[in-house]
Amino acid sequence: MDQTPPLSQFENFYSSQTPPWVIDEPQPAVVALADAGHIRGRVLDVGCGTGEHTIYLARLGHDVLGVDGAPTAIDIARRHAAERGVAAQFAVGDAFDLSAILGDGPLVDTVLDSALFHVFDDADRQRYVRSLGRATRPGALVHVLALSDAGRGFGPQVTARELLDAFGVDWSVEDLMATTYRGVVTEVHAEALGEAIGTRVDEPAHLLRVRRV
């Protein structure tokens, strides 16, 4: 990513339209993580958007907090949770200062990042990883689902090397696998992807699992 988009761009998305990453269900890759037992302890869903993963994990009984920098996204997430009768927790917050969101509460054991990392430029990736380090306890797991450079340009894309290089000596890589990221084609992508508007697509993605040392 050459330059991190301003937060106002995401707020405008949520307030004026349904973004292409809002599919009203959890990503299949995240469901697989939960099924495999890789979500544990206190969980932070960073860049939670409209809350699908936070609600899903809360329904499974996890202690999870969904965080997003776009207030409209959090408003929608809270409404979705209330409509579904799920006592999910959400907060507006800065991904570069996650420890401030946690306040005096305990550090987290698991972080879920579904399609946030790949929107950052190189410098902001480093800021973000430092923020993750301050918010997690030793032994914590961070899961990053990011669009792959093998994709068709559905959104910002990263290479496996860019993912690995962002996490330094404070982190141990446990797994990096190829998977998919599900989205909805909008007018922005329709011509480039050769798909009709409204079509659901599963685009190539990376799923990285790192452990805080």
Side-chain angles (χ1 to χ4, degrees), residues 75-89:
D75 288 343
I76 296 170
R78 287 172 173 153
R79 186 174 72 246
H80 284 174
E83 290 170 350
R84 299 172 198 181
V86 179
Q89 304 175 66

Side-chain angles (χ1 to χ4, degrees), residues 3 15 23 27 32-33 38 43 45 62 64 74 76 86 88 97 105 118-119 124 129 141 162 165 170 181:
Q3 186 173 0
S15 60
I23 60 172
Q27 289 287 331
L33 280 176
H38 292 309
V43 183
D45 178 13
H62 292 287
V64 54
I74 294 299
I76 296 170
V86 179
D97 194 8
H118 65 211
V119 308
D124 281 342
V129 170
L141 292 175
E162 286 172 323
D165 286 349
D170 292 332
Y181 180 85

Side-chain angles (χ1 to χ4, degrees), residues 2 7 13 16 51-52 61 64 85 90 97 124 135 139 143 145 173 181 193 200:
D2 294 331
L7 182 56
F13 259 122
S16 64
E52 293 303 328
V64 54
F90 296 98
D97 194 8
D124 281 342
H143 305 283
L145 177 63
V173 175
Y181 180 85
L193 299 183
R200 289 198 170 202

Side-chain angles (χ1 to χ4, degrees), residues 1-2 17 21 26 34 60 65-66 83 91 98 132 135 146 166 172 178 203-204:
M1 191 73 181
D2 294 331
Q17 60 186 289
W21 57 86
L60 291 179
L65 173 65
E83 290 170 350
L98 294 172
L132 290 172
S172 173
E203 289 296 295

Side-chain angles (χ1 to χ4, degrees), residues 3-206:
Q3 186 173 0
T4 303
L7 182 56
S8 60
Q9 179 173 318
F10 295 96
E11 175 64 14
N12 289 339
F13 259 122
Y14 287 112
S15 60
S16 64
Q17 60 186 289
T18 300
W21 57 86
V22 174
I23 60 172
D24 295 326
E25 65 179 357
Q27 289 287 331
V30 174
V31 173
L33 280 176
D35 288 346
H38 292 309
I39 308 293
R40 58 180 180 80
R42 193 178 192 210
V43 183
L44 196 60
D45 178 13
V46 187
C48 69
T50 56
E52 293 303 328
H53 296 126
T54 306
I55 293 169
Y56 170 70
L57 294 174
R59 182 174 279 155
L60 291 179
H62 292 287
D63 175 12
V64 54
L65 173 65
V67 175
D68 202 282
T72 298
I74 294 299
D75 288 343
I76 296 170
R78 287 172 173 153
R79 186 174 72 246
H80 284 174
E83 290 170 350
R84 299 172 198 181
V86 179
Q89 304 175 66
F90 296 98
V92 177
D94 185 352
F96 300 128
D97 194 8
L98 294 172
S99 56
I101 299 165
L102 300 177
D104 295 329
L107 299 178
V108 299
D109 302 287
T110 305
V111 175
L112 175 63
D113 170 341
S114 175
L116 178 61
F117 177 95
H118 65 211
V119 308
F120 296 138
D121 60 26
D122 290 343
D124 281 342
R125 288 172 189 161
Q126 294 300 319
R127 292 177 61 205
Y128 176 51
V129 170
R130 288 194 295 271
S131 175
L132 290 172
R134 293 190 296 269
T136 50
R137 67 176 78 249
L141 292 175
V142 174
H143 305 283
V144 180
L145 177 63
L147 285 167
S148 164
D149 56 315
R152 298 181 289 173
F154 181 75
Q157 300 178 164
V158 297
T159 66
R161 187 74 262 161
E162 286 172 323
L163 268 172
L164 294 171
D165 286 349
F167 290 87
V169 295
D170 292 332
W171 304 89
S172 173
V173 175
E174 294 204 339
D175 194 25
L176 177 60
M177 62 177 287
T179 185
T180 58
Y181 180 85
R182 183 165 294 168
V184 179
V185 175
T186 68
E187 61 275 6
V188 175
H189 310 101
E191 183 175 352
L193 299 183
E195 303 278 3
I197 294 173
T199 302
R200 289 198 170 202
V201 292
D202 290 332
E203 289 296 295
H206 302 293

